[in-house]
Amino acid sequence: MIRVGINGYGTIGKRVADAVRAQPGMRVAGVAKRSPDYAAVGADETGYDLYAEDAAPFSAVDITLAGGVEDLVRESDVVVDATPSGVGAENRPLYERHDTPAIFQGGEDATVAEASFNARANFAEASEADYVRVVSCNTTGLSRLLAPIEELAGIEKARVTLVRRGGDPTQTSRGPINDVVPDPVSLPSHHGPDVRTIFPELAIDTIALRVPTTMMHVHAVNVSLAEDADAGEIRDRLAGENRLLLVPGYAGIEGTGGLRDLAGDAGRPRNDVWENAIWEESIAVRDGDLYCLQAIHQESNVVPENVDAIRAIAGEADAAESMATTNEALGIGLERFEGRERAADRQIAD
């Protein structure tokens, strides 16, 4: 069993802990928290061993700690660092002292780790590293989409406009409240350079906007293809990717709120959408350029990547085996649209 410590039990950490617990061959060694908030109480009630530097605040609310953060690192085979951006880099010396491999999140600079990671695109690179950074939610989503397109038709250049949520549901200090904000106003946004940590040779430009919602990000994608491919070929290839969900027109899902509602109806924990959700009717090819719209659930889409990074860094599986195991354990893949006639096919038949 791979003993996995989770350092940080917030938006990402609590989801990774639950995902690890669902995996064969893994167990949660414990989770580390700074304060005894509602998430800490939830972790305690779930049965996770809790670790923190200061026991007094936890004792005050009847939470017994298993030890300090250093104890958790010592007792773990791999640590997933899900602390706030910038804190992970400060934590790396702690992991190094105990020779404990660690996985960082996309909020850290790429220099924090030996490799940036996306399971679909560069799984093997992590198998030779002790410190890996799972790229951000947006970079994860773009990597999942661009990898099969590159394999099918090649990419001359990708251009992406990212419409970003203002904050997660718990981030009450974030915004904007009633505005649309270029983020940044200059080209490129940080997302294009981050994608190139996965695809070093890719020509990509990105620009981003922040909007007043907590639901999901939306990407407007334009890819200049190196070889001829029509929209049907693109759709078929993307439909075969297990972490891409093609949403047909007949589903009546007009926005990100409907996607979250769909996930809840499907019994997903926390209404999580682990896959890229691509509106099928948005997929079009015009004069050698591919266009599509996809939604990225920023709270959850990196969770399966963290699980795969654990297996990669531990040398436990190759990409295909790990992704299949992760997907099966979590129930990734909304099957209610499979086997049904696609809206695009009906239009062609008509």
Side-chain angles (χ1 to χ4, degrees):
M1 299 288 284
I2 305 172
R3 298 169 298 172
V4 182
I6 313 294
N7 190 3
Y9 193 76
T11 298
I12 299 299
K14 63 186 178 183
R15 287 172 163 84
V16 171
D18 290 351
V20 166
R21 183 176 57 177
Q23 303 300 312
M26 294 186 192
R27 73 174 181 86
V28 178
V31 303
K33 283 285 296 177
R34 286 186 171 182
S35 60
D37 59 10
Y38 73 93
V41 173
D44 185 51
E45 292 177 345
T46 300
Y48 294 136
D49 287 340
L50 268 166
Y51 294 77
E53 294 303 326
D54 186 0
F58 291 85
S59 298
V61 293
D62 296 323
I63 293 178
T64 301
L65 296 180
V69 176
E70 192 146 353
D71 297 317
L72 175 60
V73 174
R74 186 183 302 112
E75 294 164 13
S76 300
D77 297 317
V78 179
V79 170
V80 175
D81 189 299
T83 57
S85 298
V87 178
E90 298 174 2
N91 289 336
R92 177 165 167 169
L94 168 62
Y95 308 139
E96 291 175 330
R97 285 201 302 273
H98 295 281
D99 290 327
T100 303
I103 296 162
F104 301 94
Q105 304 307 306
E108 303 297 326
D109 190 271
T111 58
V112 75
E114 298 158 63
S116 293
F117 178 84
N118 175 259
R120 175 63 177 80
N122 68 339
F123 185 99
E125 289 185 29
S127 63
E128 301 175 357
D130 290 323
Y131 301 100
V132 170
R133 181 184 71 119
V134 172
V135 291
S136 73
C137 52
N138 284 305
T139 304
T140 293
L142 289 171
S143 298
R144 288 176 180 170
L145 175 66
L146 295 175
I149 294 172
E150 169 65 29
E151 292 166 1
L152 175 65
I155 296 174
E156 289 189 354
K157 186 165 188 175
R159 305 168 188 85
V160 185
T161 300
L162 300 94
V163 182
R164 303 181 61 202
R165 59 89 178 102
D168 292 341
T170 60
Q171 294 175 316
T172 54
S173 62
R174 296 284 289 272
I177 295 173
N178 184 27
D179 211 346
V180 178
V181 181
D183 185 29
V185 71
S186 57
L187 185 76
S189 67
H190 72 271
H191 308 92
D194 201 34
V195 169
R196 293 190 64 180
T197 67
I198 302 295
F199 301 94
E201 304 303 319
L202 180 68
I204 181 170
D205 285 333
T206 56
I207 193 165
L209 306 166
R210 280 188 294 123
V211 298
T213 181
T214 63
M215 281 291 184
M216 301 173 75
H217 305 299
V218 173
H219 298 169
V221 180
N222 165 218
V223 177
S224 295
L225 303 174
E227 301 174 10
D228 289 338
D230 62 32
E233 292 174 299
I234 297 289
R235 277 196 299 269
D236 289 343
R237 184 57 178 264
L238 299 184
E241 296 287 320
N242 53 35
R243 291 183 187 170
L244 302 181
L245 171 66
L246 267 58
V247 181
Y250 70 78
I253 296 176
E254 298 180 349
T256 56
L259 292 169
R260 298 295 304 282
D261 194 48
L262 168 66
D265 285 351
R268 292 285 184 85
R270 304 183 178 94
N271 289 35
D272 284 346
V273 183
W274 295 303
E275 307 92 338
N276 298 23
I278 303 170
W279 280 278
E280 184 178 5
E281 291 176 310
S282 75
I283 300 171
V285 176
R286 300 285 187 273
D287 298 323
D289 274 14
L290 164 68
Y291 300 87
C292 69
L293 293 167
Q294 66 174 3
I296 304 298
H297 184 209
Q298 76 283 356
E299 298 174 275
S300 68
N301 85 317
V302 300
V303 170
E305 309 300 317
N306 273 271
V307 174
D308 291 329
I310 292 167
R311 289 199 186 89
I313 210 169
E316 291 291 319
D318 61 19
E321 181 183 358
S322 179
M323 292 179 70
T325 302
T326 300
N327 293 348
E328 182 177 359
L330 295 182
I332 289 177
L334 286 168
E335 298 179 352
R336 61 184 54 193
F337 299 143
E338 293 182 6
R340 298 179 185 270
E341 187 180 16
R342 292 198 313 237
D345 292 336
R346 290 203 303 273
Q347 291 170 357
I348 292 171
D350 292 343

